[in-house]
Amino acid sequence: MTVPGNDSPQPARPSMSATDELLHHHTELPTTRLSQGMDRVIAAIGKSASWLWLVVTGVIIYAVIGRYAFGLGSVTLEEVQWHLAGAGWLLGLAYTLVVDDHVRVDVIHERLSLKGQGWVELLGLLFLLLPFLGLAIYEMVPYAYSSWQQGETSQAPAGLPYRWVLKAVLALAFILLALGALSRLLKVTALLFGFPQPIRTGSGHNKNEDVS
């Protein structure tokens, strides 16, 4: 048996930059001043909502200890868990859209050129996402308002009051999604048509100042 020496060729390992390139799936869209402001608002709300998951974890631990260590079950705590989890998930949706980290299920988009990806984004936003969000907002805002007017509460014994709060968060989530979709639409039109004027190239990892 021979032992390879130090001079034996070693298999090349991809560098971190090469690995990042393989995993990189973002559509590099330019940023406009208006979309930049929208993104900041959405990012602030999304990052703030992420702290709700820490609260949810604490509530779950507290409820489990109370149930199995002391035999104290609580309907209130159970509802607090799914209310907070629902709010955290809903308020984070728009953030995933503006940073382009939402799940894509198409295998064609990433194989296209940047302009081709831009056209896919434009048609998807105009004919799929924005009409859906408009319909959702049209239904969800009166839905939450009606719940507030009725003073809706949980139907479970010892359940939470103010059920309209969660329904209002649902409406707010769709409004934020629509704001994020409009921000992305501005970036796409800046890429394809030069309007609004882009101020920064690259909405993902590599951002370079636009020299125009």
Side-chain angles (χ1 to χ4, degrees), residues 139-156:
E139 293 291 337
M140 288 297 103
V141 171
Y143 180 62
Y145 180 69
S146 175
S147 177
W148 174 74
Q149 281 187 317
Q150 298 172 24
E152 185 179 4
T153 62
S154 172
Q155 296 180 354

Side-chain angles (χ1 to χ4, degrees), residues 185-199:
L185 181 63
L186 291 174
K187 298 174 186 178
V188 172
T189 58
L191 170 69
L192 297 176
F193 312 116
F195 179 83
Q197 182 180 5
I199 61 172

Side-chain angles (χ1 to χ4, degrees), residues 74-80 82-83 147 150-167:
S74 174
V75 174
T76 302
L77 286 179
E78 291 179 2
E79 291 200 352
V80 166
W82 69 263
H83 274 68
S147 177
Q150 298 172 24
E152 185 179 4
T153 62
S154 172
Q155 296 180 354
L160 293 177
Y162 311 120
R163 179 59 58 85
W164 62 268
V165 174
L166 185 62
K167 294 183 177 181

